[in-house]
Amino acid sequence: MSRLGIFVDRKTLSSAEQLNALIRCRDAAEEMGHGAEFIFPVDIRKIPQVDGLFIRARTDPMNITYVASRMAAFAGIPVIDDPDSIQVCSDKVHMYARLMREGVEVPRTLFLSFRDLTPARAREVFDELGSPLVVKEPSTSFSLRVEKVEAPGELLQVARRYFKLSDWVVVQEYVESTYDWRVGVLRGRFLYACKYIIPSQTFKIQDSVNGHVVYCGVESVPPQMVPPAVIDLGIRAGRAIGNGLYGVDIKEGPAGPCVIEVNDNPSLEGGEDTAYPHVYREIVHTLLEV
Amino acid sequence: MPDGQLLLEPPAPGEAITRLSGPARRHALRAKSGPVLSRGSIHSVERDGVVHLVSENYSYKSEAYYAILMQETQGRRVEPGTKAILDAFVVPVCLERARMDGIPVADYAISQSCIPAPAVIYGLNYFACTSHFEVLCDDESARELVRHVTNNGKYPFCSQRLEAGARIERAVSIFGNVSSTDPAMAGMAAGVWDSFCIPLVEIICIDGPCGLRLSSLCPVRYSRLTPAERDLLSAYLSGQVFL
Ligand SMILES: Nc1ncnc2c1ncn2[C@@H]1O[C@H](COP(=O)(O)OP(=O)(O)O)[C@@H](O)[C@H]1O
Ligand SMILES: [Mg+2]
């Protein structure tokens, strides 16, 4: 019997869906004959006592999840998400740079530094990438700091706002679609797939419209219903980042499928795995039995 | 198939990003005054095929961080690495890495609620910077400071106990050298340089009954350098002092 640590913070515990997902994870570990315990930020010292650590809280190199992940790595304990995956996936500059270097298809993407974003440069960017464009602050998550812009002035405005949080921002060609594929990848292999249906009021999978938050619909899709090119791209994207657990977002653009984002710490509480009952078992197996 | 393009922006004209190697380096050797350490400027020194980047701000998502990241992405050898930077400025991670590299470090705990004074505390959240630590002197003021550092209990923090008579000592390290005459601090700076390879960093220590122990690492503004520190840094940048 091994011990699984599940790292959670107050935010994880504040949602009913998250709580149910955590219980399913614990149950999977116990059914496999292992122990499972929750680890809170103040328990980071206990990490060396578990045999594997599964982080279920919003990861970022600047928050406590990175401390937990790094402590596990220092102690030689298998961890999802490992520090490298957190570093790469939490920062869209890092993530796209990695995907491009590894030849993984992404929408045409540029990085802009506050030092060189002048009105002239903004016009050039539209010439290079077309209109509209998508601007992203590198640490965005839940679509929070992703905006569509249609003119150089608008690009400057949004970028200036994002420059308060990051010296560089990402600008990207806009790829039209009504849903995002989400391909789950574990240790370089296909784990699950679902569709995130984009709400009709917006272009993002989550947005605030007239003060109300609108969420995407989640539709778990069995493997035989997923285009092989989408699965293949998901796997290649996951492998380009590392050997952990990733949720790869893919759009089918006019020129073929392209990766919008590789998420570490992909959510599993929204029904993503309905058609894949063994997702937690496979995660536990990876952490405790490999 | 849409494919991305990695755009490496060259420094804007007139920008103080100096890359000293080859002929430029020899030229700098003859120059009287070193490069200008203007606000936000990033400088580099090359030695044995490794580029050392000097910045007053290495923080996550800063210009320097991304300059280093782009070098790493292209497989070039560059110091400090982005991983060392992330490790250095998150206090518990910094201390764990340092400890594993044989550096004496302060005892610490991660807490979310009030802790007894006296202690030094560092916020652990997206906006925390190691240079903004708080010293809790008495239990009275501790509550208020903890509330401040944790944003009303929202985020955890890292605390380090101050034993009776312990003091905070700080020193600016330039390529592992400090102007302090204290051999313990000089040894600390050498150890921190070996472990993190950050050319410009402030070392915060607790000096107590168990000797000098690392408390944290902080960024250093050029404007805060003493004339002697400024001269030493300029000498490195212009190649008058070798790594
Ligand atoms: N290049 C793009 N073209 C069209 N829509 C996009 C593009 N990039 C992102 N989006 C939409 O915005 C959402 C959020 O973008 P994403 O890059 O995933 O940031 P976040 O990490 O905040 O979720 C995506 O799910 C997608 O629906
Ligand atoms: Mg996303």
Side-chain angles (χ1 to χ4, degrees):
Chain A
M1 186 189 108
S2 300
R3 289 169 69 187
L4 175 70
I6 307 172
F7 185 86
V8 292
D9 66 4
R10 14 183 292 150
K11 184 107 188 298
T12 326
L13 299 180
S14 67
S15 121
E17 289 81 16
Q18 287 270 20
L19 222 48
N20 287 334
L22 291 173
I23 292 168
R24 281 200 292 136
C25 178
R26 184 201 59 192
D27 290 352
E30 289 177 352
E31 277 162 25
M32 292 164 75
H34 302 296
E37 62 198 86
F38 295 113
I39 296 184
F40 302 98
V42 293
D43 303 328
I44 276 184
R45 294 251 180 207
K46 294 187 189 160
I47 288 175
Q49 297 157 24
V50 297
D51 301 295
L53 185 68
F54 186 34
I55 298 176
R56 291 278 90 189
R58 196 177 86 74
T59 50
D60 188 280
M62 290 293 108
N63 75 22
I64 195 75
T65 58
Y66 187 74
V67 180
S69 176
R70 202 69 182 86
M71 292 301 171
F74 279 133
I77 292 163
V79 55
I80 289 176
D81 309 289
D82 63 277
D84 286 0
S85 297
I86 295 178
Q87 186 190 2
V88 179
C89 295
S90 300
D91 172 2
K92 289 198 163 40
V93 170
H94 205 153
M95 178 196 60
Y96 291 122
R98 175 69 66 85
L99 295 176
M100 291 184 233
R101 188 190 74 188
E102 299 300 315
V104 175
E105 292 77 14
V106 298
R108 280 181 300 140
T109 299
L110 298 174
F111 306 134
L112 296 177
S113 157
F114 80 98
R115 290 179 191 241
D116 45 44
L117 187 54
T118 55
R121 181 76 187 114
R123 282 192 296 276
E124 268 173 41
V125 169
F126 273 90
D127 292 341
E128 284 172 53
L129 302 180
S131 181
L133 288 177
V134 178
V135 194
K136 307 184 185 189
E137 191 280 310
S139 300
T140 175
S141 60
F142 304 111
S143 307
L144 269 177
R145 292 184 297 274
V146 173
E147 278 174 66
K148 193 159 77 171
V149 295
E150 320 232 334
E154 225 184 318
L155 167 59
L156 289 170
Q157 236 175 32
V158 173
R160 279 193 199 118
R161 209 161 1 98
Y162 293 167
F163 285 143
K164 294 191 181 119
L165 295 168
S166 170
D167 283 354
W168 287 24
V169 297
V170 173
V171 284
Q172 197 166 63
E173 161 194 21
Y174 179 74
V175 182
E176 178 92 52
S177 73
T178 54
Y179 61 87
D180 282 7
W181 280 107
R182 161 67 59 96
V183 176
V185 178
L186 178 64
R187 292 186 81 224
R189 291 164 56 190
F190 176 77
L191 185 64
Y192 66 89
C194 65
K195 276 182 184 176
Y196 287 135
I197 320 270
I198 297 165
S200 57
Q201 308 94 313
T202 173
F203 75 101
K204 307 189 277 193
I205 62 171
Q206 184 178 326
D207 203 352
S208 167
V209 178
N210 301 328
H212 296 280
V213 180
V214 290
Y215 296 100
C216 59
V218 182
E219 194 181 293
S220 188
V221 183
Q224 65 276 11
M225 310 276 283
V226 188
V230 168
I231 293 187
D232 172 69
L233 181 58
I235 292 173
R236 285 196 291 120
R239 287 182 181 167
I241 307 295
N243 212 18
L245 170 67
Y246 309 102
V248 184
D249 292 342
I250 294 174
K251 281 190 197 294
E252 291 177 285
C258 59
V259 174
I260 294 295
E261 180 185 24
V262 182
N263 296 277
D264 64 322
N265 214 274
S267 26
L268 287 168
E269 70 279 1
E272 286 85 351
D273 58 341
T274 310
Y276 300 83
H278 294 305
V279 161
Y280 282 115
R281 289 184 77 90
E282 300 205 30
I283 293 168
V284 173
H285 174 71
T286 296
L287 284 169
L288 299 182
E289 300 173 351
V290 176
Chain B
M1 196 67 42
D3 54 5
Q5 159 188 3
L6 202 64
L7 195 87
L8 297 177
E9 303 287 345
E15 199 122 76
I17 295 189
T18 53
R19 296 200 169 79
L20 293 178
S21 66
R25 186 187 173 95
R26 280 191 293 280
H27 178 77
L29 265 172
R30 286 190 301 268
K32 277 257 157 44
S33 59
V36 186
L37 296 171
S38 58
R39 187 157 174 230
S41 62
I42 299 173
H43 307 264
S44 71
V45 186
E46 197 173 325
R47 178 77 176 157
D48 297 331
V50 181
V51 174
H52 295 262
L53 229 100
V54 177
S55 171
E56 55 180 354
N57 176 17
Y58 291 101
S59 62
Y60 180 50
K61 298 191 290 173
S62 64
E63 195 69 42
Y65 182 88
Y66 281 135
I68 292 167
L69 177 63
M70 289 300 119
Q71 303 263 342
E72 287 178 341
T73 302
Q74 296 176 336
R76 300 214 194 96
R77 291 172 63 200
V78 58
E79 297 285 2
T82 52
K83 288 187 181 59
I85 291 171
L86 293 183
D87 283 355
F89 300 117
V90 179
V91 179
V93 178
C94 169
L95 297 186
E96 211 54 42
R97 175 175 174 140
R99 192 180 60 77
M100 292 182 79
D101 286 338
I103 297 169
V105 301
D107 283 331
Y108 68 90
I110 291 167
S111 323
Q112 194 123 26
S113 52
C114 214
I115 50 135
V120 188
I121 61 171
Y122 295 90
L124 292 173
N125 62 66
Y126 195 83
F127 299 100
C129 173
T130 41
S131 53
H132 292 157
F133 61 83
E134 300 284 356
V135 180
L136 310 187
C137 299
D138 53 79
D139 293 341
E140 211 97 311
S141 60
R143 278 178 71 90
E144 197 42 48
L145 288 172
V146 166
R147 254 167 52 93
H148 172 68
V149 164
T150 61
N151 193 357
N152 274 321
K154 209 155 136 202
Y155 303 110
F157 62 96
C158 175
S159 65
Q160 300 166 6
R161 269 196 65 72
L162 283 172
E163 302 97 333
R167 285 176 312 142
I168 306 267
E169 290 287 344
R170 35 203 318 171
V172 170
S173 162
I174 294 165
F175 289 95
N177 299 288
V178 286
S179 51
S180 161
T181 50
D182 173 12
M185 187 57 98
M188 179 66 74
V192 166
W193 168 248
D194 287 342
S195 181
F196 296 90
C197 243
I198 303 178
L200 180 61
V201 71
E202 185 170 28
I203 300 174
I204 313 287
C205 291
I206 295 176
D207 194 5
C210 318
L212 200 65
R213 287 172 307 146
L214 183 63
S215 171
S216 72
L217 298 176
C218 307
V220 186
R221 293 265 167 228
Y222 297 133
S223 58
R224 277 194 37 220
L225 294 175
T226 63
E229 289 165 346
R230 197 167 257 274
D231 285 349
L232 180 60
L233 181 56
S234 300
Y236 271 107
L237 294 179
S238 59
Q240 286 156 340
V241 175
F242 291 103
L243 284 177

